[in-house]
Amino acid sequence: MSFTAIALAACSQSPKGEAPWIVDRFDDIKVIRYEVPGFDELPLEEKELVYYLAEAAKCGRDIFFDQNCPVNLPVRRTLETIYENYAGDRTTPEWKALEKYLKKVWFANGIHHHYSNDKFVPEFTEQYFLDVCESIPVECFGELTGMIGVVSNAIFNPAMYQTRLNQKAGEDLLWTSSSNYYRNVRQAEAEKFYADMAAADAGNPEPASYGLNSQLVKEEKTGRIYERVWKVGGMYSPAIERIVYWLEKAQAVAKEPQKSNIAALVSYYKTGDLKEFDRYNIGWVKDTVSNVDFINGFIEDYGDPLGRKAAWEGNVNFMDKEACHRTEVISDNAQWFEDHSPVAEAYRKPVVKGVSAKVITVAMLGGDCYPSTPIGINLPNADWIRKEYGSKSVTIDNITYAYDMAAHGNGFNEEFVLRAEDRERMDKYGKLADDLHTDLHECLGHGSGQLAPGVKGGELKSYGSTLEEARADLFGLYYLGDPKLVELGLVPSFDVAKAGYAKYILNGMMTQLARVELGKNVEESHMRNRKLIAEWCYERGKADNVIEVVKENGKTYVVVNDFEKLRGLFGEMLREVQRIKSEGDYEAGHKLVEQYAVVVDPALHKEVRDRYYALGIEPYGGFVNPEFELVEQDGKIVDVKVSYPANYVEQMLGYSKDYSFLPNVN
Ligand code: ZN
């Protein structure tokens, strides 16, 4: 499972005299670079380990392209051949449109949008495409020569490969999805195939994730249905062999228990045996000592309409010691926070255990994690392993930092934050406030409090998740402004809370509405929770003018006038929301959510959307990777250097040249 960034409002210190954070922008995409702080300080053997694992993370890129659609590799390679060999005019609108299309194909790992799954609509004509191909010496195309027709049809025929992932109930989801997980197989046939497989293994408390690492194929002539397993000697073998090559290098420098885990993963890649994958996952979950960690394999199944086949991904990372220190301090003081919470004593936990969330620094992204990547990871996915052995949950700090840096100067704060003092505080402390609020929410908020005797939980029904998020958010907001945080050395002053509060209220009352379609109310529970808190505090603080709605030059602004009083309101509300949960008071919960969290003022909604979209901020972001280079002396590795290339096109062309191991048709 992975969680994705929502970065509507963000701000931080501006980089002075450094390379820009945004390295490319096209269509609805911005490409950002990220840095790997702490890499230079790693011991040599860990640097080497990162290097080998990073190589392994890059070798599966073609697999993911092919998984997304069977024509993706020939389309990408044809366009790359054109891009590198076209001698004609590169300033015409049609050429620019072709270049943009290629950038989108790289970003999405195929011809479908990475988020909406719809096929891209080219803004250049088929005739132009064919003319350009014609103008390039035929030998440049090599094996692609006979595929130009297929490629052209894939790009320009709107009836072909319409969507990568169709989830409309009632339709044959496999027949109508263009991903390459099933070939010539109807949905009912695939479902029966795997139902039979599961039935043959019924009662096994440790069921394998059937179908995870294979394409399911129906033979035209005989009707026989079988799996083509992704392994050495199987489908995608040329790429998997390279992955194994680098994993074995990594294994040689890794220490136990990681050494044995890598061996289990290599064995899985060599045999395709899903039991080996489970063995690897169990070892991986139990390993909490290795500083360098990684993901490499067929992991997430969101791309398969049946939720079975997994996309290939790679991620290499190491512990962010400083950020982990932050969550450790919070966790170590969990009892103090619980004891001093404004919640009624009966609903506080007498003995509380904080959770120490791990924060990591990413060093390489690959496959399903590149260029678009989640900001958190929670694995493994197999239910029985999670139940038996737990899971590892981490957040990725250098990626959120890069998002934050990239958002700086996008005009958002200038448009929506009325007062200069608020903008300055948000610039200075916005990221720290966000991080701490998340830490308090995750490490303490959800785990705090207790139910009254006889209450089982679940009484709040459909309002449960909104109120639960509100409870954890309020815990975080209340303590973000507590002098205890200064005492613990986590913040320099109350100014951090001021930055966080101003941003939270603005987002809850106004700016998050930019993500809601016009005419709709707020549905998503995290968004409802933010609206609930902001609107409740606005109304409760009206007499004291704690939060003010200001109209200026025809624009609406939300301003916090009294941060101390606002903190008091967070405390009051936390007490009430905890009471509702502890007593299972459905009526009160229902009233609270319906009154404050759902209904949108249509005029304000339209205004927010108009102002937000006028800023031209690209809604999606992705990343270019750093580069690692071995430094050798007398045939011995003495160091590994990291650098930060800032050219999206060069990185993509380079990867296609150096890490492309699969044939056009697989
Ligand atoms: Zn939560």
Side-chain angles (χ1 to χ4, degrees):
M1 267 171 271
S2 57
F3 23 109
T4 312
I6 305 159
L8 254 189
C11 41
S12 193
Q13 292 106 313
S14 70
K16 286 194 182 69
E18 289 170 22
W21 288 86
I22 299 182
V23 301
D24 211 337
R25 35 180 24 133
F26 45 90
D27 211 48
D28 55 356
I29 303 287
K30 55 182 167 295
V31 182
I32 307 162
R33 68 186 178 86
Y34 66 94
E35 295 184 347
V36 191
F39 179 78
D40 290 338
E41 287 75 52
L42 294 178
L44 179 59
E45 61 269 30
E46 290 190 0
K47 285 183 180 175
E48 242 185 286
L49 184 58
V50 167
Y51 178 85
Y52 298 135
L53 292 170
E55 288 300 306
K58 287 183 271 190
C59 290
R61 178 167 172 259
D62 279 1
I63 297 177
F64 186 50
F65 266 88
D66 192 73
Q67 286 179 315
N68 282 334
C69 188
V71 291
N72 277 342
L73 286 173
V75 168
R76 187 192 84 200
R77 288 168 181 164
T78 302
L79 293 169
E80 286 169 347
T81 305
I82 292 171
Y83 192 83
E84 296 197 290
N85 295 286
Y86 182 57
D89 188 353
R90 289 183 179 232
T91 60
T92 65
E94 291 228 279
W95 174 263
K96 293 281 172 207
L98 186 146
E99 183 183 39
K100 179 164 107 179
Y101 186 89
L102 174 57
K103 285 184 179 185
K104 286 161 72 170
V105 167
W106 280 329
F107 191 90
N109 292 276
I111 58 174
H112 301 91
H113 192 277
H114 74 288
Y115 191 79
S116 77
N117 297 309
D118 295 332
K119 190 167 88 168
F120 292 133
V121 179
E123 294 164 68
F124 53 106
T125 63
E126 184 162 21
Q127 194 54 54
Y128 176 77
F129 171 76
L130 295 173
D131 289 348
V132 166
C133 287
E134 192 75 15
S135 76
I136 293 167
V138 70
E139 60 271 19
C140 296
F141 286 102
E143 286 174 9
L144 290 163
T145 312
M147 297 197 75
I148 303 290
V150 172
V151 167
S152 181
N153 203 21
I155 297 174
F156 294 99
N157 183 347
M160 298 275 288
Y161 310 114
Q162 279 181 354
T163 178
R164 184 173 61 162
L165 174 66
N166 182 23
Q167 291 174 300
K168 283 192 209 93
E171 298 182 9
D172 188 314
L173 302 183
L174 302 190
W175 217 250
T176 51
S177 295
S178 312
S179 55
N180 199 17
Y181 294 123
Y182 302 86
R183 186 170 290 177
N184 199 27
V185 183
R186 295 280 176 179
Q187 183 179 347
E189 293 169 331
E191 279 166 349
K192 181 173 182 313
F193 183 91
Y194 287 111
D196 289 350
M197 204 178 249
D201 194 26
N204 183 353
E206 303 179 353
S209 308
Y210 310 110
L212 187 79
N213 64 336
S214 65
Q215 184 191 52
L216 191 67
V217 186
K218 183 176 168 184
E219 228 167 39
E220 201 88 50
K221 278 189 198 140
T222 61
R224 183 174 76 98
I225 297 177
Y226 64 98
E227 286 185 325
R228 295 174 70 208
V229 178
W230 305 326
K231 61 170 185 172
V232 172
M235 193 175 176
Y236 300 142
S237 186
I240 295 174
E241 286 164 39
R242 297 304 298 169
I243 294 168
V244 166
Y245 170 84
W246 289 111
L247 286 179
E248 285 177 335
K249 292 248 180 205
Q251 190 187 328
V253 295
K255 297 199 175 89
E256 291 297 352
Q258 194 163 45
K259 201 188 239 335
S260 302
N261 290 341
I262 298 175
L265 182 61
V266 166
S267 159
Y268 160 64
Y269 271 134
K270 285 182 174 172
T271 60
D273 183 353
L274 287 164
K275 291 217 165 28
E276 287 296 88
F277 186 53
D278 285 345
R279 185 165 75 88
Y280 158 73
N281 275 319
I282 292 165
W284 180 79
V285 141
K286 285 162 106 179
D287 175 9
T288 52
V289 294
S290 300
N291 186 39
V292 174
D293 203 352
F294 73 103
I295 294 159
N296 188 303
F298 304 102
I299 309 293
E300 303 288 1
D301 56 22
Y302 304 117
D304 172 9
L306 302 187
R308 206 168 265 292
K309 312 281 170 198
W312 188 89
E313 72 172 55
N315 173 315
V316 185
N317 61 75
F318 55 91
M319 213 95 87
D320 178 342
K321 297 248 163 70
E322 200 184 312
C324 288
H325 169 75
R326 201 177 63 214
T327 63
E328 268 162 33
V329 169
I330 290 172
S331 215
D332 289 348
N333 289 277
Q335 192 66 53
W336 186 93
F337 286 106
E338 186 75 3
D339 293 345
H340 292 79
S341 128
V343 159
E345 202 187 335
Y347 302 145
R348 280 186 229 138
K349 265 202 181 102
V351 182
V352 62
K353 204 176 164 292
V355 182
S356 185
K358 292 277 175 257
V359 185
I360 58 169
T361 299
V362 148
M364 186 57 64
L365 302 166
D368 198 8
C369 296
Y370 170 83
S372 172
T373 184
I375 53 159
I377 304 163
N378 187 329
L379 288 173
N381 283 330
D383 284 328
W384 73 268
I385 301 179
R386 296 173 75 87
K387 226 168 108 194
E388 203 87 346
Y389 300 92
S391 64
K392 268 201 256 187
S393 183
V394 296
T395 56
I396 306 173
D397 197 54
N398 59 330
I399 293 293
T400 42
Y401 180 76
Y403 267 126
D404 205 46
M405 286 307 208
H408 184 86
N410 65 10
F412 182 92
N413 284 357
E414 289 69 19
E415 178 59 39
F416 287 103
V417 184
L418 181 64
R419 292 180 186 162
E421 62 194 83
D422 283 318
R423 285 198 294 269
E424 280 158 25
R425 269 195 301 261
M426 285 180 188
D427 268 2
K428 200 162 173 197
Y429 295 125
K431 169 87 167 59
L432 179 60
D434 274 355
D435 287 347
L436 273 169
H437 182 242
T438 306
D439 295 341
L440 290 161
H441 175 119
E442 300 292 350
C443 303
L444 304 180
H446 280 304
S448 72
Q450 65 178 0
L451 302 179
V455 176
K456 292 191 172 54
E459 288 82 1
L460 304 175
K461 294 180 200 157
S462 61
Y463 301 107
S465 56
T466 296
L467 290 164
E468 178 56 22
E469 288 311 316
R471 201 175 66 87
D473 258 3
L474 285 163
F475 197 97
L477 287 165
Y478 178 77
Y479 279 118
L480 185 61
D482 200 289
K484 182 78 176 174
L485 293 202
V486 181
E487 186 194 306
L488 292 172
L490 294 171
V491 299
S493 70
F494 188 61
D495 274 2
V496 177
K498 285 183 176 176
Y501 289 0
K503 198 169 155 183
Y504 193 95
I505 297 296
L506 171 65
N507 191 35
M509 283 180 75
M510 276 184 62
T511 47
Q512 67 167 351
L513 296 178
R515 277 187 284 132
V516 178
E517 259 179 75
L518 278 184
K520 295 228 164 108
N521 279 330
V522 179
E523 300 290 344
E524 201 274 324
S525 55
H526 290 83
M527 291 178 74
R528 281 188 168 189
N529 135 53
R530 291 182 210 118
K531 186 169 182 307
L532 169 64
I533 292 173
E535 300 273 1
W536 189 92
C537 291
Y538 171 60
E539 200 183 282
R540 286 302 169 108
K542 244 183 186 162
D544 295 324
N545 205 21
V546 176
I547 299 168
E548 192 181 352
V549 175
V550 181
K551 296 264 184 192
E552 226 178 80
N553 302 323
K555 289 179 178 179
T556 312
Y557 298 91
V558 176
V559 176
V560 178
N561 288 321
D562 191 329
F563 291 98
E564 293 283 358
K565 281 215 170 94
L566 179 58
R567 178 168 183 252
L569 290 170
F570 289 145
E572 261 178 59
M573 192 178 184
L574 173 59
R575 188 181 172 92
E576 172 61 4
V577 172
Q578 180 64 54
R579 183 200 66 76
I580 290 171
K581 178 177 179 178
S582 294
E583 298 174 7
D585 187 346
Y586 175 82
E587 256 327 295
H590 159 98
K591 246 179 91 181
L592 209 55
V593 174
E594 291 297 343
Q595 189 176 345
Y596 297 102
V598 182
V599 184
V600 176
D601 168 5
L604 180 67
H605 190 185
K606 185 174 180 310
E607 183 196 323
V608 168
R609 282 182 62 102
D610 287 349
R611 285 164 67 188
Y612 179 78
Y613 288 101
L615 296 173
I617 301 170
E618 296 86 357
Y620 303 103
F623 294 86
V624 288
N625 278 319
E627 259 161 36
F628 296 94
E629 197 191 335
L630 294 178
V631 183
E632 286 174 273
Q633 230 169 51
D634 309 324
K636 269 184 71 182
I637 296 164
V638 292
D639 200 5
V640 182
K641 287 265 171 259
V642 62
S643 60
Y644 304 107
N647 191 315
Y648 173 67
V649 173
E650 273 174 22
Q651 179 153 91
M652 286 297 176
L653 287 172
Y655 282 3
S656 294
K657 200 163 140 270
D658 299 335
Y659 300 94
S660 195
F661 306 111
L662 296 183
N664 290 317
V665 178
N666 289 277

